[in-house]
Amino acid sequence: MEKIVAGTSALECAKPAIAAETELDREASMIELRVQRMAVLNDTDYVCAAEMLKEIKATQKKVTEYWEPLRVSAKDAYDRVLSRKKDMIDPLKSAEDILKSKMTAYSDEQERKRKAQEEALRKLAEAELEKKLAEATAAEASGDTEAASSAMAEAEVMDDVSVGGSVSAPDVKVKGVSKSKTWKIVGVDASHVPVEINGMVIRPVDEKAILRIIKASKGTIRIPGVIYEETTQISARG
């Protein structure tokens, strides 16, 4: 390599390197043209081709020696860039995971409370249903058909509430942040898992296939031998 003296500008340092690269490029191209024109039809041609082959290998070595220091230097620079990027991204990823975990915990707790209210409503409706049925029976026995009819009508309302009554909870929405339901399998007893579900073969136990079935059913399906739970997944865009 050419020695660099003090006071030499970056442009002046680059000139010999550019010239060397240009010369190597020209040499490689000329060799290709010469080879394209060569014919190997006799012993003399064969010897010439062999000599040219040695020249090609020598030129390949020069090209490799020229580019190898630059390749190593570029790789070192690339690795340093990746390392610095990782140093800065890792704490951000950690912060994202921590915050998503806290938001998920809050969302799951709100859902737990909603389901508890829904269950309490269902039990109240069932108790009121039994009460109205008893009132209707008593009214029917006493000959008060109007009261019996009214009690039965109220009983039907309570029956609908006990079966399909629901409690809706306000959902906090923030532009750019979405929330979706997902599920994870927390236990599998392979001896009880069926061979197939909804036409999809899941034996031997294929947890990915099972999760697709759970997702398609929105977490309503019950699969023998499989225990799963619903979780909330938070995603955001910058």
Side-chain angles (χ1 to χ4, degrees):
M1 293 186 68
E2 191 167 322
K3 185 177 179 181
I4 300 174
V5 296
T8 304
S9 69
L11 182 60
E12 290 172 332
C13 289
K15 285 180 180 178
I18 294 173
E21 182 180 334
T22 302
E23 177 59 25
L24 277 175
D25 189 22
R26 187 194 65 78
E27 188 175 344
S29 297
M30 290 300 298
I31 286 175
E32 183 182 24
L33 289 173
R34 287 166 60 194
V35 167
Q36 288 173 350
R37 295 169 183 162
M38 287 178 68
V40 182
L41 303 175
N42 51 51
D43 288 353
T44 301
D45 290 345
Y46 184 90
V47 171
C48 289
E51 292 298 325
M52 175 59 72
L53 191 60
K54 290 192 290 183
E55 183 179 342
I56 290 171
K57 296 303 292 183
T59 305
Q60 287 178 351
K61 183 180 178 182
K62 285 195 291 182
V63 170
T64 300
E65 289 174 348
Y66 174 81
W67 285 109
E68 185 60 16
L70 298 175
R71 184 196 68 80
V72 171
S73 176
K75 184 179 183 304
D76 288 344
Y78 178 73
D79 288 344
R80 284 195 298 272
V81 168
L82 284 185
S83 178
R84 288 296 297 132
K85 175 186 174 184
K86 185 175 185 301
D87 289 343
M88 298 168 74
I89 283 290
D90 282 354
L92 293 173
K93 285 185 175 179
S94 175
E96 179 183 2
D97 291 343
I98 291 169
L99 202 52
K100 282 183 176 179
S101 177
K102 292 180 178 181
M103 292 169 70
T104 296
Y106 172 78
S107 183
D108 288 347
E109 176 62 15
Q110 297 307 107
E111 179 65 7
R112 186 196 66 77
K113 289 178 179 178
R114 187 194 68 77
K115 287 182 177 179
Q117 291 175 350
E118 207 169 73
E119 179 64 13
L121 175 64
R122 186 186 65 80
K123 289 182 177 179
L124 285 173
E126 286 181 349
E128 190 65 18
L129 169 62
E130 293 178 4
K131 177 183 175 183
K132 292 301 177 182
L133 287 175
E135 289 179 3
T137 301
E140 186 72 27
S142 66
D144 189 347
T145 57
E146 184 177 345
S149 178
S150 177
M152 280 302 296
E154 293 181 22
E156 289 176 3
V157 173
M158 290 300 103
D159 185 45
D160 289 341
V161 173
S162 67
V163 174
S166 62
V167 175
S168 60
D171 189 18
V172 180
K173 295 186 181 297
V174 180
K175 186 177 180 179
V177 176
S178 61
K179 184 169 61 175
S180 60
K181 294 295 182 184
T182 187
W183 295 266
K184 63 180 179 180
I185 296 173
V186 294
V188 173
D189 182 352
S191 64
H192 289 84
V193 177
V195 174
E196 69 174 59
I197 299 173
N198 297 340
M200 184 181 293
V201 176
I202 59 174
R203 294 297 296 269
V205 178
D206 185 341
E207 293 193 5
K208 289 184 178 179
I210 292 174
L211 280 173
R212 286 197 295 271
I213 294 170
I214 293 170
K215 186 175 182 178
S217 74
K218 298 188 184 300
T220 60
I221 196 168
R222 291 293 172 264
I223 303 174
V226 177
I227 302 171
Y228 67 89
E229 62 184 28
E230 181 181 283
T231 62
T232 300
Q233 184 173 301
I234 304 293
S235 59
R237 62 178 185 273

mmCIF file of all heavy atoms in Angstrom, residues 83-126:
data_model
loop_
_atom_site.group_PDB
_atom_site.id
_atom_site.type_symbol
_atom_site.label_atom_id
_atom_site.label_comp_id
_atom_site.label_asym_id
_atom_site.label_seq_id
_atom_site.Cartn_x
_atom_site.Cartn_y
_atom_site.Cartn_z
ATOM 1 N N SER A 83 -24.302 -2.755 16.371
ATOM 2 C CA SER A 83 -24.144 -2.793 17.822
ATOM 3 C C SER A 83 -24.720 -1.538 18.475
ATOM 4 O O SER A 83 -25.420 -1.613 19.486
ATOM 5 C CB SER A 83 -22.659 -2.944 18.179
ATOM 6 O OG SER A 83 -22.472 -2.930 19.570
ATOM 7 N N ARG A 84 -24.415 -0.383 17.883
ATOM 8 C CA ARG A 84 -24.931 0.869 18.444
ATOM 9 C C ARG A 84 -26.451 0.954 18.310
ATOM 10 O O ARG A 84 -27.144 1.429 19.208
ATOM 11 C CB ARG A 84 -24.290 2.060 17.730
ATOM 12 C CG ARG A 84 -22.833 2.268 18.088
ATOM 13 C CD ARG A 84 -22.653 2.623 19.564
ATOM 14 N NE ARG A 84 -23.297 3.895 19.884
ATOM 15 C CZ ARG A 84 -24.098 4.078 20.924
ATOM 16 N NH1 ARG A 84 -24.407 3.074 21.737
ATOM 17 N NH2 ARG A 84 -24.618 5.272 21.157
ATOM 18 N N LYS A 85 -26.948 0.469 17.172
ATOM 19 C CA LYS A 85 -28.410 0.432 16.986
ATOM 20 C C LYS A 85 -29.054 -0.435 18.067
ATOM 21 O O LYS A 85 -30.060 -0.059 18.667
ATOM 22 C CB LYS A 85 -28.742 -0.118 15.598
ATOM 23 C CG LYS A 85 -30.230 -0.297 15.355
ATOM 24 C CD LYS A 85 -30.493 -0.986 14.017
ATOM 25 C CE LYS A 85 -31.980 -1.289 13.861
ATOM 26 N NZ LYS A 85 -32.257 -2.037 12.602
ATOM 27 N N LYS A 86 -28.444 -1.608 18.326
ATOM 28 C CA LYS A 86 -28.984 -2.516 19.339
ATOM 29 C C LYS A 86 -28.947 -1.874 20.722
ATOM 30 O O LYS A 86 -29.898 -2.016 21.511
ATOM 31 C CB LYS A 86 -28.185 -3.823 19.343
ATOM 32 C CG LYS A 86 -28.738 -4.904 20.272
ATOM 33 C CD LYS A 86 -27.949 -6.191 20.110
ATOM 34 C CE LYS A 86 -28.555 -7.304 20.936
ATOM 35 N NZ LYS A 86 -28.626 -7.018 22.372
ATOM 36 N N ASP A 87 -27.848 -1.163 21.010
ATOM 37 C CA ASP A 87 -27.731 -0.494 22.311
ATOM 38 C C ASP A 87 -28.879 0.492 22.534
ATOM 39 O O ASP A 87 -29.347 0.674 23.667
ATOM 40 C CB ASP A 87 -26.394 0.256 22.396
ATOM 41 C CG ASP A 87 -25.216 -0.682 22.516
ATOM 42 O OD1 ASP A 87 -25.439 -1.863 22.847
ATOM 43 O OD2 ASP A 87 -24.074 -0.245 22.257
ATOM 44 N N MET A 88 -29.337 1.127 21.459
ATOM 45 C CA MET A 88 -30.390 2.131 21.583
ATOM 46 C C MET A 88 -31.793 1.520 21.484
ATOM 47 O O MET A 88 -32.737 2.001 22.112
ATOM 48 C CB MET A 88 -30.202 3.206 20.506
ATOM 49 C CG MET A 88 -28.890 3.959 20.649
ATOM 50 S SD MET A 88 -28.496 4.989 19.207
ATOM 51 C CE MET A 88 -29.660 6.325 19.422
ATOM 52 N N ILE A 89 -31.908 0.458 20.665
ATOM 53 C CA ILE A 89 -33.222 -0.175 20.479
ATOM 54 C C ILE A 89 -33.626 -1.020 21.680
ATOM 55 O O ILE A 89 -34.808 -1.043 22.062
ATOM 56 C CB ILE A 89 -33.215 -1.046 19.206
ATOM 57 C CG1 ILE A 89 -33.321 -0.167 17.960
ATOM 58 C CG2 ILE A 89 -34.352 -2.054 19.211
ATOM 59 C CD1 ILE A 89 -34.675 0.502 17.777
ATOM 60 N N ASP A 90 -32.667 -1.730 22.306
ATOM 61 C CA ASP A 90 -32.990 -2.658 23.394
ATOM 62 C C ASP A 90 -33.767 -2.010 24.544
ATOM 63 O O ASP A 90 -34.783 -2.550 24.993
ATOM 64 C CB ASP A 90 -31.713 -3.330 23.917
ATOM 65 C CG ASP A 90 -31.244 -4.448 23.003
ATOM 66 O OD1 ASP A 90 -31.972 -4.765 22.035
ATOM 67 O OD2 ASP A 90 -30.158 -5.010 23.239
ATOM 68 N N PRO A 91 -33.319 -0.842 25.071
ATOM 69 C CA PRO A 91 -34.100 -0.240 26.156
ATOM 70 C C PRO A 91 -35.486 0.207 25.701
ATOM 71 O O PRO A 91 -36.445 0.180 26.486
ATOM 72 C CB PRO A 91 -33.248 0.956 26.592
ATOM 73 C CG PRO A 91 -32.313 1.225 25.474
ATOM 74 C CD PRO A 91 -32.065 -0.097 24.835
ATOM 75 N N LEU A 92 -35.603 0.583 24.418
ATOM 76 C CA LEU A 92 -36.921 0.972 23.899
ATOM 77 C C LEU A 92 -37.844 -0.234 23.792
ATOM 78 O O LEU A 92 -39.034 -0.158 24.103
ATOM 79 C CB LEU A 92 -36.762 1.641 22.530
ATOM 80 C CG LEU A 92 -36.048 3.000 22.533
ATOM 81 C CD1 LEU A 92 -35.799 3.474 21.118
ATOM 82 C CD2 LEU A 92 -36.861 4.024 23.313
ATOM 83 N N LYS A 93 -37.291 -1.362 23.348
ATOM 84 C CA LYS A 93 -38.086 -2.588 23.293
ATOM 85 C C LYS A 93 -38.518 -3.016 24.691
ATOM 86 O O LYS A 93 -39.649 -3.465 24.904
ATOM 87 C CB LYS A 93 -37.288 -3.708 22.623
ATOM 88 C CG LYS A 93 -37.182 -3.568 21.116
ATOM 89 C CD LYS A 93 -36.476 -4.770 20.505
ATOM 90 C CE LYS A 93 -36.466 -4.692 18.980
ATOM 91 N NZ LYS A 93 -35.763 -5.846 18.374
ATOM 92 N N SER A 94 -37.589 -2.882 25.639
ATOM 93 C CA SER A 94 -37.913 -3.227 27.025
ATOM 94 C C SER A 94 -39.027 -2.330 27.550
ATOM 95 O O SER A 94 -39.979 -2.793 28.194
ATOM 96 C CB SER A 94 -36.669 -3.094 27.900
ATOM 97 O OG SER A 94 -36.978 -3.319 29.260
ATOM 98 N N ALA A 95 -38.921 -1.022 27.267
ATOM 99 C CA ALA A 95 -39.952 -0.079 27.707
ATOM 100 C C ALA A 95 -41.292 -0.408 27.065
ATOM 101 O O ALA A 95 -42.346 -0.343 27.711
ATOM 102 C CB ALA A 95 -39.530 1.352 27.339
ATOM 103 N N GLU A 96 -41.260 -0.779 25.776
ATOM 104 C CA GLU A 96 -42.496 -1.147 25.071
ATOM 105 C C GLU A 96 -43.148 -2.367 25.723
ATOM 106 O O GLU A 96 -44.356 -2.393 25.964
ATOM 107 C CB GLU A 96 -42.184 -1.450 23.604
ATOM 108 C CG GLU A 96 -43.405 -1.870 22.793
ATOM 109 C CD GLU A 96 -43.059 -2.246 21.360
ATOM 110 O OE1 GLU A 96 -41.858 -2.208 21.005
ATOM 111 O OE2 GLU A 96 -43.975 -2.582 20.596
ATOM 112 N N ASP A 97 -42.331 -3.396 26.008
ATOM 113 C CA ASP A 97 -42.855 -4.617 26.618
ATOM 114 C C ASP A 97 -43.447 -4.339 27.995
ATOM 115 O O ASP A 97 -44.509 -4.862 28.351
ATOM 116 C CB ASP A 97 -41.747 -5.672 26.727
ATOM 117 C CG ASP A 97 -41.324 -6.210 25.366
ATOM 118 O OD1 ASP A 97 -42.093 -6.023 24.401
ATOM 119 O OD2 ASP A 97 -40.229 -6.797 25.276
ATOM 120 N N ILE A 98 -42.745 -3.511 28.790
ATOM 121 C CA ILE A 98 -43.224 -3.194 30.147
ATOM 122 C C ILE A 98 -44.561 -2.468 30.076
ATOM 123 O O ILE A 98 -45.515 -2.802 30.794
ATOM 124 C CB ILE A 98 -42.186 -2.334 30.894
ATOM 125 C CG1 ILE A 98 -40.928 -3.156 31.197
ATOM 126 C CG2 ILE A 98 -42.776 -1.771 32.185
ATOM 127 C CD1 ILE A 98 -39.761 -2.327 31.701
ATOM 128 N N LEU A 99 -44.650 -1.474 29.191
ATOM 129 C CA LEU A 99 -45.871 -0.675 29.090
ATOM 130 C C LEU A 99 -47.033 -1.500 28.546
ATOM 131 O O LEU A 99 -48.159 -1.414 29.038
ATOM 132 C CB LEU A 99 -45.621 0.537 28.200
ATOM 133 C CG LEU A 99 -46.572 1.731 28.404
ATOM 134 C CD1 LEU A 99 -46.647 2.129 29.869
ATOM 135 C CD2 LEU A 99 -46.130 2.897 27.549
ATOM 136 N N LYS A 100 -46.756 -2.331 27.536
ATOM 137 C CA LYS A 100 -47.808 -3.199 27.001
ATOM 138 C C LYS A 100 -48.313 -4.162 28.066
ATOM 139 O O LYS A 100 -49.511 -4.445 28.155
ATOM 140 C CB LYS A 100 -47.282 -3.990 25.800
ATOM 141 C CG LYS A 100 -47.223 -3.186 24.505
ATOM 142 C CD LYS A 100 -46.768 -4.066 23.360
ATOM 143 C CE LYS A 100 -46.782 -3.325 22.031
ATOM 144 N NZ LYS A 100 -46.321 -4.185 20.907
ATOM 145 N N SER A 101 -47.391 -4.670 28.890
ATOM 146 C CA SER A 101 -47.774 -5.588 29.962
ATOM 147 C C SER A 101 -48.705 -4.901 30.960
ATOM 148 O O SER A 101 -49.707 -5.464 31.404
ATOM 149 C CB SER A 101 -46.521 -6.109 30.668
ATOM 150 O OG SER A 101 -46.870 -6.943 31.753
ATOM 151 N N LYS A 102 -48.385 -3.652 31.305
ATOM 152 C CA LYS A 102 -49.218 -2.909 32.248
ATOM 153 C C LYS A 102 -50.584 -2.580 31.644
ATOM 154 O O LYS A 102 -51.617 -2.682 32.328
ATOM 155 C CB LYS A 102 -48.503 -1.624 32.678
ATOM 156 C CG LYS A 102 -47.265 -1.871 33.540
ATOM 157 C CD LYS A 102 -46.585 -0.575 33.934
ATOM 158 C CE LYS A 102 -45.382 -0.839 34.833
ATOM 159 N NZ LYS A 102 -44.711 0.396 35.267
ATOM 160 N N MET A 103 -50.587 -2.200 30.367
ATOM 161 C CA MET A 103 -51.852 -1.896 29.701
ATOM 162 C C MET A 103 -52.716 -3.145 29.562
ATOM 163 O O MET A 103 -53.938 -3.097 29.734
ATOM 164 C CB MET A 103 -51.579 -1.278 28.321
ATOM 165 C CG MET A 103 -50.945 0.103 28.379
ATOM 166 S SD MET A 103 -50.338 0.667 26.757
ATOM 167 C CE MET A 103 -51.899 0.952 25.910
ATOM 168 N N THR A 104 -52.047 -4.275 29.252
ATOM 169 C CA THR A 104 -52.773 -5.537 29.123
ATOM 170 C C THR A 104 -53.380 -5.953 30.453
ATOM 171 O O THR A 104 -54.531 -6.410 30.519
ATOM 172 C CB THR A 104 -51.827 -6.640 28.609
ATOM 173 O OG1 THR A 104 -51.386 -6.306 27.296
ATOM 174 C CG2 THR A 104 -52.522 -7.990 28.565
ATOM 175 N N ALA A 105 -52.600 -5.798 31.531
ATOM 176 C CA ALA A 105 -53.099 -6.149 32.861
ATOM 177 C C ALA A 105 -54.329 -5.315 33.213
ATOM 178 O O ALA A 105 -55.317 -5.828 33.757
ATOM 179 C CB ALA A 105 -52.000 -5.943 33.901
ATOM 180 N N TYR A 106 -54.277 -4.013 32.896
ATOM 181 C CA TYR A 106 -55.426 -3.140 33.171
ATOM 182 C C TYR A 106 -56.632 -3.570 32.347
ATOM 183 O O TYR A 106 -57.756 -3.683 32.857
ATOM 184 C CB TYR A 106 -55.069 -1.695 32.849
ATOM 185 C CG TYR A 106 -56.257 -0.754 32.919
ATOM 186 C CD1 TYR A 106 -56.747 -0.301 34.138
ATOM 187 C CD2 TYR A 106 -56.912 -0.359 31.749
ATOM 188 C CE1 TYR A 106 -57.860 0.534 34.204
ATOM 189 C CE2 TYR A 106 -58.015 0.476 31.803
ATOM 190 C CZ TYR A 106 -58.483 0.919 33.030
ATOM 191 O OH TYR A 106 -59.586 1.728 33.091
ATOM 192 N N SER A 107 -56.404 -3.831 31.056
ATOM 193 C CA SER A 107 -57.497 -4.228 30.169
ATOM 194 C C SER A 107 -58.104 -5.550 30.610
ATOM 195 O O SER A 107 -59.331 -5.717 30.616
ATOM 196 C CB SER A 107 -56.973 -4.343 28.729
ATOM 197 O OG SER A 107 -58.013 -4.663 27.840
ATOM 198 N N ASP A 108 -57.254 -6.503 30.997
ATOM 199 C CA ASP A 108 -57.753 -7.802 31.446
ATOM 200 C C ASP A 108 -58.554 -7.676 32.735
ATOM 201 O O ASP A 108 -59.557 -8.373 32.941
ATOM 202 C CB ASP A 108 -56.582 -8.778 31.652
ATOM 203 C CG ASP A 108 -55.975 -9.226 30.334
ATOM 204 O OD1 ASP A 108 -56.597 -8.994 29.281
ATOM 205 O OD2 ASP A 108 -54.868 -9.802 30.356
ATOM 206 N N GLU A 109 -58.120 -6.779 33.615
ATOM 207 C CA GLU A 109 -58.849 -6.572 34.877
ATOM 208 C C GLU A 109 -60.215 -5.962 34.605
ATOM 209 O O GLU A 109 -61.223 -6.341 35.241
ATOM 210 C CB GLU A 109 -58.029 -5.668 35.802
ATOM 211 C CG GLU A 109 -58.713 -5.309 37.111
ATOM 212 C CD GLU A 109 -59.013 -6.521 37.993
ATOM 213 O OE1 GLU A 109 -58.450 -7.610 37.751
ATOM 214 O OE2 GLU A 109 -59.820 -6.376 38.935
ATOM 215 N N GLN A 110 -60.279 -5.019 33.653
ATOM 216 C CA GLN A 110 -61.576 -4.440 33.299
ATOM 217 C C GLN A 110 -62.501 -5.495 32.717
ATOM 218 O O GLN A 110 -63.707 -5.517 33.010
ATOM 219 C CB GLN A 110 -61.386 -3.299 32.283
ATOM 220 C CG GLN A 110 -60.576 -2.121 32.802
ATOM 221 C CD GLN A 110 -61.131 -1.572 34.117
ATOM 222 O OE1 GLN A 110 -60.553 -1.760 35.180
ATOM 223 N NE2 GLN A 110 -62.272 -0.906 34.036
ATOM 224 N N GLU A 111 -61.952 -6.400 31.928
ATOM 225 C CA GLU A 111 -62.751 -7.477 31.349
ATOM 226 C C GLU A 111 -63.216 -8.444 32.429
ATOM 227 O O GLU A 111 -64.346 -8.941 32.398
ATOM 228 C CB GLU A 111 -61.926 -8.214 30.283
ATOM 229 C CG GLU A 111 -62.624 -9.387 29.618
ATOM 230 C CD GLU A 111 -63.840 -8.995 28.794
ATOM 231 O OE1 GLU A 111 -64.084 -7.781 28.608
ATOM 232 O OE2 GLU A 111 -64.567 -9.900 28.349
ATOM 233 N N ARG A 112 -62.333 -8.702 33.407
ATOM 234 C CA ARG A 112 -62.720 -9.588 34.516
ATOM 235 C C ARG A 112 -63.888 -8.980 35.294
ATOM 236 O O ARG A 112 -64.853 -9.674 35.644
ATOM 237 C CB ARG A 112 -61.521 -9.812 35.447
ATOM 238 C CG ARG A 112 -61.785 -10.829 36.559
ATOM 239 C CD ARG A 112 -60.742 -10.734 37.648
ATOM 240 N NE ARG A 112 -60.821 -9.453 38.354
ATOM 241 C CZ ARG A 112 -61.754 -9.176 39.272
ATOM 242 N NH1 ARG A 112 -62.705 -10.058 39.583
ATOM 243 N NH2 ARG A 112 -61.743 -7.997 39.879
ATOM 244 N N LYS A 113 -63.819 -7.676 35.553
ATOM 245 C CA LYS A 113 -64.897 -7.001 36.269
ATOM 246 C C LYS A 113 -66.201 -7.043 35.465
ATOM 247 O O LYS A 113 -67.283 -7.242 36.017
ATOM 248 C CB LYS A 113 -64.508 -5.547 36.559
ATOM 249 C CG LYS A 113 -63.418 -5.407 37.608
ATOM 250 C CD LYS A 113 -63.061 -3.932 37.812
ATOM 251 C CE LYS A 113 -61.987 -3.758 38.873
ATOM 252 N NZ LYS A 113 -61.605 -2.339 39.047
ATOM 253 N N ARG A 114 -66.075 -6.844 34.132
ATOM 254 C CA ARG A 114 -67.265 -6.870 33.292
ATOM 255 C C ARG A 114 -67.932 -8.241 33.334
ATOM 256 O O ARG A 114 -69.159 -8.363 33.462
ATOM 257 C CB ARG A 114 -66.888 -6.527 31.843
ATOM 258 C CG ARG A 114 -68.084 -6.371 30.914
ATOM 259 C CD ARG A 114 -67.663 -6.366 29.465
ATOM 260 N NE ARG A 114 -67.157 -7.664 29.037
ATOM 261 C CZ ARG A 114 -67.939 -8.701 28.749
ATOM 262 N NH1 ARG A 114 -69.263 -8.611 28.842
ATOM 263 N NH2 ARG A 114 -67.403 -9.843 28.373
ATOM 264 N N LYS A 115 -67.110 -9.283 33.245
ATOM 265 C CA LYS A 115 -67.658 -10.641 33.290
ATOM 266 C C LYS A 115 -68.279 -10.942 34.652
ATOM 267 O O LYS A 115 -69.296 -11.648 34.736
ATOM 268 C CB LYS A 115 -66.561 -11.656 32.971
ATOM 269 C CG LYS A 115 -66.153 -11.670 31.505
ATOM 270 C CD LYS A 115 -65.100 -12.723 31.229
ATOM 271 C CE LYS A 115 -64.763 -12.781 29.738
ATOM 272 N NZ LYS A 115 -63.719 -13.795 29.441
ATOM 273 N N ALA A 116 -67.669 -10.412 35.717
ATOM 274 C CA ALA A 116 -68.227 -10.623 37.063
ATOM 275 C C ALA A 116 -69.585 -9.947 37.180
ATOM 276 O O ALA A 116 -70.531 -10.500 37.753
ATOM 277 C CB ALA A 116 -67.257 -10.077 38.113
ATOM 278 N N GLN A 117 -69.702 -8.732 36.624
ATOM 279 C CA GLN A 117 -70.992 -8.027 36.636
ATOM 280 C C GLN A 117 -72.026 -8.792 35.806
ATOM 281 O O GLN A 117 -73.193 -8.895 36.184
ATOM 282 C CB GLN A 117 -70.817 -6.613 36.080
ATOM 283 C CG GLN A 117 -70.018 -5.689 36.985
ATOM 284 C CD GLN A 117 -69.779 -4.328 36.332
ATOM 285 O OE1 GLN A 117 -70.043 -4.141 35.147
ATOM 286 N NE2 GLN A 117 -69.271 -3.383 37.115
ATOM 287 N N GLU A 118 -71.573 -9.336 34.686
ATOM 288 C CA GLU A 118 -72.454 -10.112 33.812
ATOM 289 C C GLU A 118 -72.966 -11.354 34.535
ATOM 290 O O GLU A 118 -74.143 -11.709 34.446
ATOM 291 C CB GLU A 118 -71.678 -10.510 32.554
ATOM 292 C CG GLU A 118 -72.544 -10.712 31.335
ATOM 293 C CD GLU A 118 -71.706 -10.833 30.077
ATOM 294 O OE1 GLU A 118 -71.047 -11.887 29.891
ATOM 295 O OE2 GLU A 118 -71.698 -9.877 29.279
ATOM 296 N N GLU A 119 -72.073 -12.020 35.262
ATOM 297 C CA GLU A 119 -72.458 -13.218 36.009
ATOM 298 C C GLU A 119 -73.422 -12.874 37.141
ATOM 299 O O GLU A 119 -74.392 -13.606 37.402
ATOM 300 C CB GLU A 119 -71.198 -13.897 36.565
ATOM 301 C CG GLU A 119 -71.463 -15.148 37.399
ATOM 302 C CD GLU A 119 -72.091 -16.276 36.599
ATOM 303 O OE1 GLU A 119 -72.117 -16.208 35.356
ATOM 304 O OE2 GLU A 119 -72.567 -17.226 37.240
ATOM 305 N N ALA A 120 -73.163 -11.749 37.812
ATOM 306 C CA ALA A 120 -74.061 -11.311 38.885
ATOM 307 C C ALA A 120 -75.447 -11.002 38.326
ATOM 308 O O ALA A 120 -76.473 -11.345 38.922
ATOM 309 C CB ALA A 120 -73.482 -10.081 39.586
ATOM 310 N N LEU A 121 -75.490 -10.344 37.165
ATOM 311 C CA LEU A 121 -76.762 -10.041 36.503
ATOM 312 C C LEU A 121 -77.497 -11.328 36.148
ATOM 313 O O LEU A 121 -78.725 -11.427 36.312
ATOM 314 C CB LEU A 121 -76.492 -9.209 35.252
ATOM 315 C CG LEU A 121 -77.710 -8.890 34.371
ATOM 316 C CD1 LEU A 121 -78.717 -8.023 35.135
ATOM 317 C CD2 LEU A 121 -77.278 -8.183 33.082
ATOM 318 N N ARG A 122 -76.752 -12.307 35.641
ATOM 319 C CA ARG A 122 -77.364 -13.585 35.270
ATOM 320 C C ARG A 122 -77.985 -14.274 36.481
ATOM 321 O O ARG A 122 -79.115 -14.786 36.424
ATOM 322 C CB ARG A 122 -76.313 -14.503 34.639
ATOM 323 C CG ARG A 122 -76.870 -15.800 34.080
ATOM 324 C CD ARG A 122 -75.767 -16.722 33.613
ATOM 325 N NE ARG A 122 -74.936 -17.159 34.725
ATOM 326 C CZ ARG A 122 -75.288 -18.133 35.564
ATOM 327 N NH1 ARG A 122 -76.456 -18.734 35.450
ATOM 328 N NH2 ARG A 122 -74.485 -18.479 36.550
ATOM 329 N N LYS A 123 -77.261 -14.263 37.601
ATOM 330 C CA LYS A 123 -77.786 -14.913 38.810
ATOM 331 C C LYS A 123 -79.009 -14.187 39.341
ATOM 332 O O LYS A 123 -79.974 -14.822 39.795
ATOM 333 C CB LYS A 123 -76.685 -14.961 39.877
ATOM 334 C CG LYS A 123 -75.577 -15.956 39.551
ATOM 335 C CD LYS A 123 -74.527 -15.996 40.657
ATOM 336 C CE LYS A 123 -73.460 -17.044 40.346
ATOM 337 N NZ LYS A 123 -72.408 -17.084 41.392
ATOM 338 N N LEU A 124 -78.986 -12.850 39.283
ATOM 339 C CA LEU A 124 -80.162 -12.085 39.716
ATOM 340 C C LEU A 124 -81.357 -12.391 38.829
ATOM 341 O O LEU A 124 -82.496 -12.543 39.302
ATOM 342 C CB LEU A 124 -79.856 -10.582 39.671
ATOM 343 C CG LEU A 124 -78.965 -10.026 40.792
ATOM 344 C CD1 LEU A 124 -78.610 -8.573 40.511
ATOM 345 C CD2 LEU A 124 -79.671 -10.136 42.147
ATOM 346 N N ALA A 125 -81.091 -12.496 37.514
ATOM 347 C CA ALA A 125 -82.165 -12.803 36.574
ATOM 348 C C ALA A 125 -82.725 -14.195 36.824
ATOM 349 O O ALA A 125 -83.947 -14.415 36.749
ATOM 350 C CB ALA A 125 -81.648 -12.680 35.142
ATOM 351 N N GLU A 126 -81.858 -15.142 37.142
ATOM 352 C CA GLU A 126 -82.324 -16.504 37.429
ATOM 353 C C GLU A 126 -83.187 -16.532 38.692
ATOM 354 O O GLU A 126 -84.225 -17.209 38.744
ATOM 355 C CB GLU A 126 -81.132 -17.447 37.596
ATOM 356 C CG GLU A 126 -80.447 -17.804 36.282
ATOM 357 C CD GLU A 126 -79.284 -18.754 36.484
ATOM 358 O OE1 GLU A 126 -78.893 -18.968 37.657
ATOM 359 O OE2 GLU A 126 -78.751 -19.268 35.482
#
